[in-house]
Every structure is written in C-alpha cells, then in structure tokens.
C-alpha cells in the first residue's frame, strides 16, 4: 500500500496500520533526486551523470547536415528549373523533411542516466524511470551488448542506453563508478 507525500511523483510506503513508514527517507530521496536532475548537489552527495558522447556528437552532426541540406535544396528548387516543375509546396515539404530528420536525431540523442544516493534515474529513447537501489540486484554489461543494463528484482532488465560500449574508456569508467555506487547504496 502506498500513500502520497503531497509531492508530485513521490510515494511512500505505509505499514499495515496505515502509518507512514520512513516518510523522512522518502522525502530525502526525492530531494536528492531533484537535486541530481537540476545539478544542485548537496555537500557530500555523490552523483554520477551518464550521457553517451559519440552518439550525441553523431546525432548533432546529422541534424545540422540534414537541416542545411534540406534548406539549401528548398532554396535551390525553383518553379520550372530543369526538366521538372517544382512548386512552393515541394520546397516546404523538403524543409519539413529536414525538420523531421532533426527531430529523429533529437530522440536518438535523449539517453541519459543519473545515479545518486536514492537510486538510478534512466531516460532511454522513449520513457523515463527512477529505480531505488534496493530494487537493483546488479549492474550488468552483457558480452557484445551495445549498452549496460540494470538487473532488477524479479529478473527484469532495464537497459541503460546512455552507457554505451562505443564510448570506450569513458563507458568503462562510468560502469565501474555505477557498480561502486550500487555496492555502497544497495542495502
């Protein structure tokens, strides 16, 4: 049974009699989580911020090239130029194609993970989850896998797309730091 704490997105566990159990700890975890997301870290709190480096560079490059190429193509297309007749609607469609490609690249550049004393916040391509440390059994990097995963209680896996193999030494460093935090905070 869970009851609301009055703060959006934060719930606390209640015991059988309905009394809040460990409400202060739930508020502390929520504070730490919000602080980790906004970059305001309380003194002494360790926060690990994980983002894919090469994927973000690639996505930004493709987005800029797509917008420039589609914009240039739309400007160059004139009514009656060459063997084909292009209209204003064709120019607009080409510009919108550049915007669509850029939107796709933004989605691919979304992955982000933040590990903090309260748990791990993971944003993959479509969806965001925050998992407390006590629900995480292990941090795994399966052989030949493109990214790491959290092994949750019950055997479920949660991919951490932000922690990618192509980032090389940075990914290894972040993986070791994430495993150290798991050992420290998982009770």
């Amino acid at each position: 049974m869970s009851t609301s704490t009055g703060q959006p997105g934060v719930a606390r566990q209640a015991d059988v009699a309905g009394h809040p159990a460990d409400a202060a700890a739930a508020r502390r975890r929520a504070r730490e989580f919000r602080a980790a997301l906004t970059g305001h870290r309380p003194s002494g709190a360790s926060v690990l911020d994980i983002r894919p480096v090469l994927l973000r560079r690639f996505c930004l490059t493709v987005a800029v090239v797509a917008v420039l190429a589609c914009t240039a193509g739309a400007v160059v297309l004139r009514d009656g130029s060459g063997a084909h007749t292009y209209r204003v609607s064709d120019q607009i469609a080409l510009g919108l194609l550049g915007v669509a490609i850029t939107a796709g690249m933004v989605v691919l550049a979304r992955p982000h993970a933040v590990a903090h004393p309260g748990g791990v916040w993971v944003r993959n391509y479509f969806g965001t989850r925050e998992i407390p440390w006590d629900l995480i059994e292990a941090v795994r990097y399966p052989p030949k896998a493109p990214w790491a995963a959290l092994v949750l209680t019950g055997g479920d896996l949660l991919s951490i797309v932000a922690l990618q193999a192509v980032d090389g030494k940075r990914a290894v460093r972040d993986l070791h730091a994430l495993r150290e935090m798991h050992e420290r905070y998982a009770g």
Side-chain angles (χ1 to χ4, degrees):
M1 170 195 251
S2 73
T3 58
S4 176
T5 62
Q7 299 173 0
V10 179
R12 63 181 176 216
Q13 295 295 320
D15 62 11
V16 178
H19 299 290
D22 208 14
R27 285 192 299 273
R28 187 188 78 249
R29 282 193 307 270
R31 248 190 334 270
E32 291 168 349
F33 176 65
R34 284 192 301 274
L37 292 181
T38 60
H40 297 93
R41 298 181 180 138
S43 61
S46 60
V47 176
L48 176 64
D49 189 66
I50 304 169
R51 293 179 189 260
V53 176
L54 293 178
L55 177 69
R56 290 174 63 112
R57 287 181 187 160
F58 172 78
C59 290
L60 178 62
T61 302
V62 170
V64 169
V65 168
V67 167
L68 292 177
C70 289
T71 302
V75 169
V76 169
L77 290 179
R78 297 276 186 234
D79 191 28
S81 64
H84 302 291
T85 301
Y86 296 100
R87 300 192 171 122
V88 173
S89 61
D90 297 320
Q91 292 173 308
I92 292 171
L94 191 55
L96 290 176
L97 177 64
V99 170
I101 292 170
T102 300
M105 291 296 106
V106 167
V107 169
L108 290 177
R110 279 190 85 214
H112 183 198
V114 178
H116 55 90
V120 180
W121 177 81
V122 178
R123 179 175 63 204
N124 288 330
Y125 297 123
F126 301 103
T128 302
R129 290 192 57 194
E130 189 198 9
I131 310 293
W133 289 114
D134 56 346
L135 295 180
I136 300 171
E137 290 182 1
V139 179
R140 187 183 298 170
Y141 213 118
K144 303 206 182 215
W147 47 70
L150 298 175
V151 179
L152 306 177
T153 55
D156 291 337
L157 289 177
L158 175 64
S159 296
I160 306 176
V161 180
L163 190 51
Q164 299 200 350
V166 296
D167 285 333
K169 291 180 181 178
R170 179 186 172 105
V172 171
R173 185 190 68 221
D174 287 345
L175 179 66
H176 288 307
L178 187 58
R179 284 180 175 162
E180 287 174 11
M181 290 182 79
H182 178 257
E183 290 174 9
R184 185 178 329 138
Y185 296 118

